[in-house]
Amino acid sequence: MHLLNLGILAHVDAGKTSLTERLLHAAGVIDEVGSVDAGSTTTDTLALERQRGITIKSAVVSFPLDGVTVNLIDTPGHPDFIAEVERVLGVLDGAVLVVSAVEGVQAQTRVLMRTLRRLGIPTLVFVNKIDRRGARDTAVLRQMAQRLAVPLVPMGTAAGLGTRAARFVPGLGPAALEALADRDDGLLAAYLDGGVPQGRLRRALAAQTRDAAVHPVYFGSAITGAGVPELIDGIERLLPTAPGDPGGPLSGTVFKVERGPAGEKAAYARLFSGTLRVRDRIRFGDGRQGTGGEGRVTALSVFDGGTDSRADSAAAGRIVKVWGLGGIRIGDALGAPARPSGRHFAPPTLETVVVPGPGTDRRSLHLALTQLAEQDPLIGVRHDEVRGETSVSLYGEVQKEVVQATLADEYGLDVTFRETTTLCVERPSGTGHAVEFNKKDVNPFLATVGLRVDPAPPGSGVAFRREVELGSMPYAFFKAVEDTVRETLGQGLRGWEVTDCTVTMTHCGYSPRQSHAHQGFDKSMSSTGYDFRGLTPLVLMEALRRAGTLVHEPMHRFRLEAPADTLGALLPVLARLGAVPESTAARATACVLEGTVPAARVHSLEQRLPGLTRGEGELETAFDHYAPVTRGTVPRRPRTDHNPLNRKEYLLNVTRRVGE
């Protein structure tokens, strides 16, 4: 049996969930096509999804084709829920990117296609809504070529645009041959010699699509079903099936975690190798961070015939639902890590404080938010013990509304939020070194720790190195230092997370285990992990202070299309908002500006744009990079730790042995 794990991706409202319904209906899995507006779709199972008419959580549903079982994963389209898409990408064999024939290429369309190309995921494009008024075919195809900048192969044309009778007319034309011949010298030679047989053309199309070198384009309508049979044929013939050796070592990746009514965890995982069985005892965790555990599989489900059903075992290529692994988290590997996982999209750049309503218990709220973060790791929960406040990091205002509704519906907790603020990061601006020696000066801890902080390239994260021999003290002490370094870097000199740096341990030392005659272990004379965990923040922050840090704010890349005669009014406003136009292009009576703008100013730009452009301006923005804050006061973030920048305050909070 061949398997294909297929993702459906799109900008919000392009018709992605409607297409999922149509595919399931065409495959005979459902008797009636569900409606997003009516809240009757198969994959939108959450009450909130049905109320709002948007997909919030990824969902898996299976359907059979001739010789292939497709595990179809419906993903959110709204950019606030990009974290759901993030996790799904690593488990896909192929994808269908849905584009609206009315709205054309939108901001999320470009973000998704760039990511699919970077990951080399074979992708078909379905231009949906050809039955809607204002639908375009050749114009959208031309726009995709310009805005997506990828090789496209039209699989036919659309007829009857904008009417209920709109249909897809299949056929490979000259444009298809041109796109394929650009990447196949043999095909080009055959064309020059007098023609290319259709069979040769289709073999080249299948090979290049599976290599993610070209992207076939279909036109149709998820509502009427036009073009869907041809798309199904393309899914079956052009996309690769799941590889994997069922007899190999177990290897899989968890991409979703949910809790049942009794609080039990169920993990969704893609198996890349081996076979997983009920009652197997397996290891799981994030190898990069050295975290994880071991557990016994108590139950197993596989997806088949539109639903999940219990099974005794599942082999490589399958998507499975696993029970019994209590400590498992999204992103964990099952068995051996399958492939290097990395961040495909930007991290959240917004933060807000959650304010409990009347009668809402703060402890219950903190527990609920922790469980939500467990299901969505990019929702960072930050608790301030001093102020008694909990804040969460988010992608946008819609996500904030969803968190509020989820807390009310699932946990019975009434909350509001403070104003959303922008999340910055700190990066070291130079090199700094600090060391404190055991039993010397004012060091109250039985430990020697020396650390050097060096800047690293943007996007590299945090690396920990050692210049001391691993055998020079117990490994548990080294581990305590590394773990504490990573935790301490969550708050830099100005309270922001410190990233893109290398921390090197330059000195180490400890007091060996000692005891008095006829008595037990004496902690006052012997080093413990507590000593290293207590001393490390003091040394690290001193090294960081000597290195210095710069606060960087998130920057969005923008594309703004507006009437040419409004350019004079736009440019001064962009300048006041800190936007930097990098290119200007003229198109008939319109102008196109592209550049960067601080993320904190995007909302203001969106609000002012209609008035500046007579309502004709179109703005696309997406996170691009972090840049040093150059305007106004450098932002600070309130600390939530014991403040190792203030030695006396820190020691008062951490230990009774107060340093003077």
Side-chain angles (χ1 to χ4, degrees):
M1 176 190 64
H2 295 295
L3 294 164
L4 167 62
N5 297 300
L6 178 73
I8 306 289
L9 301 93
H11 186 97
V12 65
D13 289 336
K16 173 181 45 58
T17 299
S18 297
L19 178 60
T20 299
E21 289 293 307
R22 180 58 66 176
L23 290 171
L24 295 176
H25 181 263
V29 171
I30 56 177
D31 296 328
E32 186 177 344
V33 177
S35 166
V36 173
D37 293 336
S40 58
T41 56
T42 306
T43 53
D44 286 345
T45 56
L46 297 178
L48 198 56
E49 290 177 315
R50 296 180 183 276
Q51 292 166 15
R52 297 187 66 104
I54 60 172
T55 301
I56 296 171
K57 295 289 185 182
S58 58
V60 183
V61 65
S62 178
F63 65 88
L65 297 179
D66 290 340
V68 180
T69 295
V70 178
N71 289 323
L72 190 149
I73 309 176
D74 184 19
T75 63
H78 198 287
D80 280 15
F81 307 106
I82 196 69
E84 283 291 319
V85 183
E86 166 98 42
R87 296 188 283 272
V88 166
L89 287 174
V91 306
L92 297 182
D93 303 306
V96 174
L97 181 64
V98 184
V99 178
S100 168
V102 180
E103 289 84 9
V105 174
Q106 296 171 279
Q108 190 80 338
T109 317
R110 300 174 72 190
V111 171
L112 291 169
M113 179 56 90
R114 280 199 302 267
T115 308
L116 289 165
R117 292 282 291 178
R118 189 168 66 249
L119 297 175
I121 297 175
T123 303
L124 310 181
V125 179
F126 186 74
V127 180
N128 191 27
K129 302 184 181 180
I130 63 171
D131 59 318
R132 297 284 183 88
R133 181 179 298 177
R136 302 162 294 155
D137 53 355
T138 54
V140 169
L141 197 60
R142 189 165 53 248
Q143 185 190 49
M144 286 194 295
Q146 292 173 346
R147 304 270 288 278
L148 300 180
V150 297
L152 303 170
V153 178
M155 299 298 291
T157 58
L161 282 169
T163 69
R164 293 288 291 182
R167 67 190 190 282
F168 177 62
V169 182
L172 292 174
L177 178 58
E178 182 180 336
L180 295 169
D182 278 348
R183 292 154 189 84
D184 187 331
D185 292 340
L187 200 64
L188 179 60
Y191 171 68
L192 295 175
D193 285 343
V196 179
Q198 281 291 309
R200 173 77 182 274
L201 195 63
R202 292 189 178 279
R203 286 194 298 274
L205 173 64
Q208 292 192 33
T209 302
R210 287 169 185 159
D211 288 340
V214 299
H215 304 286
V217 180
Y218 298 83
F219 295 89
S221 167
I223 298 300
T224 67
V228 173
E230 290 80 6
L231 175 64
I232 290 175
D233 182 64
I235 291 170
E236 185 179 357
R237 290 192 306 104
L238 302 179
L239 295 180
T241 53
D245 177 13
L250 179 67
S251 179
T253 299
V254 176
F255 65 92
K256 179 178 178 179
V257 172
E258 64 183 20
R259 286 183 178 270
E264 72 279 11
K265 270 189 185 180
Y268 291 72
R270 159 75 188 269
L271 299 182
F272 293 98
S273 172
T275 299
L276 184 65
R277 299 174 179 83
V278 176
R279 293 184 293 280
D280 277 356
R281 189 163 190 84
I282 63 170
R283 292 196 60 79
F284 60 85
D286 184 344
R288 293 169 301 161
Q289 300 294 338
T291 60
E294 195 171 272
R296 188 180 300 279
V297 177
T298 58
L300 198 64
S301 282
V302 298
F303 293 87
D304 207 2
T307 185
D308 62 299
S309 54
R310 293 299 175 100
D312 293 327
S313 65
R318 282 279 193 185
I319 287 179
V320 296
K321 195 173 177 182
V322 188
W323 287 265
L325 309 179
I328 202 157
R329 294 178 59 87
I330 290 169
D332 280 355
L334 299 182
R339 56 176 75 170
S341 59
R343 177 167 283 166
H344 310 309
F345 301 110
T349 57
L350 301 174
E351 185 176 55
T352 184
V353 173
V354 186
V355 181
T360 296
D361 179 65
R362 290 181 181 271
R363 291 184 180 180
S364 299
L365 174 59
H366 183 63
L367 177 62
L369 288 170
T370 302
Q371 289 189 359
L372 288 183
E374 184 182 76
Q375 298 172 38
D376 188 347
L378 293 185
I379 295 181
V381 176
R382 186 172 182 265
H383 190 60
D384 187 339
E385 294 283 356
V386 177
R387 297 170 184 81
E389 295 177 349
T390 301
S391 57
V392 293
S393 53
L394 302 165
Y395 280 96
E397 296 300 315
V398 173
Q399 190 181 14
K400 184 195 291 187
E401 295 172 20
V402 168
V403 170
Q404 184 179 35
T406 303
L407 289 172
D409 296 345
E410 296 186 15
Y411 296 92
L413 300 174
D414 174 32
V415 302
T416 56
F417 298 93
R418 290 194 194 150
E419 183 180 359
T420 303
T421 57
T422 304
L423 274 173
C424 299
V425 299
E426 291 183 51
R427 287 174 173 155
S429 51
T431 295
H433 178 257
V435 60
E436 294 206 23
F437 293 96
N438 186 10
K439 301 179 182 177
K440 285 189 178 181
D441 302 322
V442 293
N443 177 9
F445 299 100
L446 294 177
T448 293
V449 174
L451 297 171
R452 186 178 68 248
V453 176
D454 295 295
S460 58
V462 175
F464 183 81
R465 305 277 186 267
R466 283 185 295 268
E467 287 182 354
V468 292
E469 291 186 12
L470 192 58
S472 56
M473 67 178 187
Y475 175 75
F477 295 161
F478 285 114
K479 187 72 169 62
V481 172
E482 179 177 355
D483 290 347
T484 307
V485 162
R486 295 186 182 278
E487 180 182 349
T488 304
L489 288 177
Q491 301 182 72
L493 301 181
R494 294 175 178 84
W496 303 105
E497 179 184 0
V498 181
T499 187
D500 301 332
C501 65
T502 300
V503 179
T504 305
M505 190 170 187
T506 59
H507 296 74
C508 70
Y510 73 108
S511 295
R513 183 183 181 95
Q514 298 183 47
S515 59
H516 299 289
H518 309 297
Q519 295 182 17
F521 169 52
D522 188 347
K523 289 185 178 180
S524 67
M525 301 169 60
S526 313
S527 297
T528 65
Y530 159 84
D531 291 293
F532 288 90
R533 287 191 295 272
L535 180 59
T536 296
L538 288 172
V539 177
L540 178 59
M541 295 310 288
E542 181 58 31
L544 202 61
R545 193 190 329 243
R546 294 174 182 179
T549 64
L550 285 175
V551 175
H552 290 62
E553 63 180 333
M555 302 292 290
H556 281 216
R557 178 154 294 280
F558 73 85
R559 182 184 185 279
L560 199 164
E561 186 168 341
D565 61 357
T566 65
L567 191 59
L570 275 171
L571 289 176
V573 173
L574 290 173
R576 285 196 293 273
L577 294 174
V580 180
E582 297 172 355
S583 66
T584 307
R587 290 186 185 164
T589 60
C591 65
V592 179
L593 298 175
E594 294 193 18
T596 57
V597 59
R601 307 282 191 275
V602 169
H603 185 58
S604 179
L605 179 56
E606 290 171 340
Q607 288 182 316
R608 301 194 63 177
L609 188 63
L612 293 167
T613 62
R614 303 188 296 272
E616 298 179 44
E618 295 182 9
L619 177 68
E620 293 179 11
T621 68
F623 172 84
D624 191 66
H625 66 284
Y626 286 95
V629 175
T630 56
R631 299 161 57 93
T633 305
V634 175
R636 288 181 173 271
R637 191 189 197 193
R639 302 193 73 88
T640 61
D641 58 6
H642 293 308
N643 193 13
L645 290 169
N646 183 325
R647 187 181 186 92
K648 189 167 185 178
E649 176 187 329
Y650 176 81
L651 291 174
L652 280 169
N653 283 304
V654 172
T655 176
R656 294 177 182 176
R657 294 173 289 181
V658 180
E660 297 299 325

